[in-house]
Amino acid sequence: LVGSEMCIRDSIKGDNGLGQSARIMCRLLDENKEPHVIRDFFVPPGGSRSNDTYADRLTEELPFDVNIIHVNASEFMVAYLSLGKEVWDYRYNIGYWAWELETFPEEWLPAFKLVDEVWTPSDFVTNTLKKYTDKPVITVPHCVAPETDTVKFDRKHFNLPEDKFLFLVMYNSGSVMERKNPLAAIKAFKEAFCKDEQTKEKYKDVGLVIKISEAELSAEDEKIIGSVIEDCDNIYYMCGHMGRCEVNTLLADVDVYVSLHRSEGFGLVMAESMYVGTPVIATDWSGNTEFMNSDTACMVGYDMIELDKDYEPFKKGNVWADAHVDEAADYMRRLYEDKDFYERIAGNGQKYARELSLIHISE
């Protein structure tokens, strides 16, 4: 996009998926030598904002007539009122939105009036939004290229055992625990490796790592997680902030990444895991299915279930996927026990993720 201006919420500094999304686009614009400026926009309280990759390029100047606005639809009106009409008027405004369900909240529909076009990271999101607007909605997938440093950030750095086969579950408390569904992954791990003392002894060199980002956003999450892992001494709980390279390297340091999510608009961490060569076990539904399949990842079946109550911003009555825990447990055991299967999934996944990234750059 020639001569673009990027107006960024907490994303450009944010230690979350939205922040990573914005930084990916900045990197692509740089790599394609497209002129652009970056303006920061933040809706408090938000989450942590420690990423300074583009801090020295932030500006209030708006020299171009196109905005690519990384602000979720839920906060678009806040952005409009806060930034002022001069940021929006007489410019072509593109909203870059992600969403995780096949229905869109009615209260967010006015946001369509503020944009000329919408970009999304996946056809899953695009197909949902097209139900609600006649304006162009275009899929512009994330182009992942995670940087790692396995020398600086080895297992010892993370206080993780170097002699165990480690699975990793990771999510941000601000992303709604019920959607990320770490409890299903923990249940699958315990079914596979911890269901009785004999099983624990057989698989004593297997472990599960649980990493929660911004746990301060939900003390209840920590309490729930703690209650379901207290009976296993091979589950390692990690909490607190990490830099982007540190997180990427953690993905490379473990043996398998597990996401039994109920819905994803894209699934950045899954794509990044594949890119660094770590096999992924994932729910076979929503945005992640556009960059993974049964040849490149362990795809877990599911039942569609109705939300029994509101999990803001996800409303009661909507539906999402509930992964089959027993199937995930089988994949966990197979990846641990079958080296050929492990190497095939790891290699195919890495090759596919890197090829897709090259395609997206060229586009």
Side-chain angles (χ1 to χ4, degrees):
L1 181 64
V2 177
S4 62
E5 163 201 321
M6 298 190 69
C7 172
I8 311 297
R9 173 187 160 254
D10 57 342
S11 15
I12 203 65
K13 290 186 175 182
D15 302 307
N16 53 16
L18 186 60
Q20 185 67 354
S21 166
R23 290 187 292 272
I24 285 172
M25 184 160 290
C26 286
R27 176 174 57 82
L28 289 178
L29 290 168
D30 286 341
E31 289 176 357
N32 286 279
K33 295 181 171 53
E34 301 289 358
H36 62 282
V37 297
I38 306 168
R39 177 163 176 170
D40 188 44
F41 176 64
F42 173 55
V43 179
S48 60
R49 285 165 43 86
S50 66
N51 193 299
D52 291 327
T53 304
Y54 295 98
D56 61 344
R57 290 172 53 184
L58 300 182
T59 180
E60 297 292 310
E61 300 298 321
L62 306 174
F64 303 120
D65 57 3
V66 176
N67 290 328
I68 307 172
I69 307 169
H70 281 252
V71 175
N72 284 330
S74 57
E75 296 173 338
F76 235 69
M77 186 58 72
V78 175
Y80 179 78
L81 294 174
S82 299
L83 292 169
K85 288 169 60 64
E86 65 277 7
V87 172
W88 303 74
D89 288 356
Y90 307 107
R91 305 176 197 269
Y92 193 86
N93 296 307
I94 302 170
Y96 195 99
W97 297 348
W99 179 239
E100 291 86 14
L101 299 180
E102 293 181 311
T103 54
F104 197 66
E106 184 177 350
E107 61 269 28
W108 297 357
L109 293 179
F112 282 110
K113 297 179 180 179
L114 301 176
V115 297
D116 299 285
E117 185 174 315
V118 177
W119 291 357
T120 83
S122 67
D123 288 340
F124 177 82
V125 182
T126 293
N127 293 335
T128 294
L129 298 188
K130 280 185 173 180
K131 301 174 187 176
Y132 298 90
T133 184
D134 293 328
K135 294 180 178 179
V137 182
I138 300 170
T139 303
V140 181
H142 295 310
C143 178
V144 301
E147 296 182 357
T148 60
D149 187 341
T150 54
V151 175
K152 182 177 181 181
F153 302 121
D154 57 7
R155 285 193 178 187
K156 186 177 181 179
H157 169 82
F158 295 114
N159 293 316
L160 294 174
E162 299 180 39
D163 59 347
K164 289 187 184 291
F165 187 99
L166 296 178
F167 296 85
L168 171 65
V169 175
M170 182 168 67
Y171 77 102
N172 186 306
S173 278
S175 297
V176 183
M177 186 172 76
E178 289 77 12
R179 177 174 72 82
K180 291 294 189 177
N181 201 19
L183 298 183
I186 296 169
K187 186 176 180 181
F189 177 82
K190 293 171 75 171
E191 181 178 314
F193 305 114
C194 303
K195 62 183 177 182
D196 53 46
E197 292 304 317
Q198 184 178 358
T199 304
K200 288 181 181 179
E201 179 61 26
K202 179 180 179 181
Y203 296 112
K204 60 185 178 182
D205 60 344
V206 179
L208 174 66
V209 181
I210 302 169
K211 169 70 175 76
I212 301 181
S213 302
E214 300 187 338
E216 68 276 8
L217 298 179
S218 179
E220 188 64 22
D221 282 14
E222 286 194 270
K223 184 186 301 183
I224 293 170
I225 294 292
S227 69
V228 297
I229 67 173
E230 58 187 8
D231 59 338
C232 289
D233 57 8
N234 57 346
I235 296 181
Y236 307 92
Y237 180 78
M238 302 172 66
C239 182
H241 170 69
M242 290 183 185
R244 196 67 233 171
C245 182
E246 195 174 3
V247 171
N248 295 338
T249 311
L250 175 62
L251 296 176
D253 285 342
V254 299
D255 296 284
V256 180
Y257 181 72
V258 185
S259 177
L260 300 187
H261 57 271
R262 292 195 165 105
S263 60
E264 284 286 358
F266 182 79
L268 268 171
V269 179
M270 287 176 274
E272 290 164 343
S273 296
M274 291 169 63
Y275 191 99
V276 300
T278 299
V280 176
I281 299 173
T283 309
D284 193 13
W285 188 74
S286 62
N288 61 295
T289 62
E290 295 171 35
F291 60 82
M292 57 173 58
N293 54 51
S294 59
D295 291 325
T296 61
C298 298
M299 308 303 288
V300 177
Y302 58 90
D303 298 313
M304 295 303 292
I305 62 171
E306 186 173 306
L307 279 69
D308 59 350
K309 63 179 183 179
D310 290 350
Y311 298 102
E312 290 297 338
F314 310 104
K315 303 296 185 182
K316 178 180 179 180
N318 283 292
V319 296
W320 53 20
D322 194 41
H324 296 161
V325 169
D326 56 344
E327 189 176 334
D330 288 343
Y331 275 130
M332 287 181 172
R333 282 190 295 266
R334 187 175 179 188
L335 285 168
Y336 169 70
E337 295 173 342
D338 188 338
K339 184 176 181 179
D340 289 340
F341 178 70
Y342 180 96
E343 295 296 338
R344 177 168 66 83
I345 293 297
N348 288 350
Q350 184 175 48
K351 180 181 178 182
Y352 192 58
R354 295 192 174 193
E355 286 177 350
L356 281 180
S357 289
L358 289 174
I359 291 170
H360 295 158
I361 287 174
S362 66
E363 290 177 343

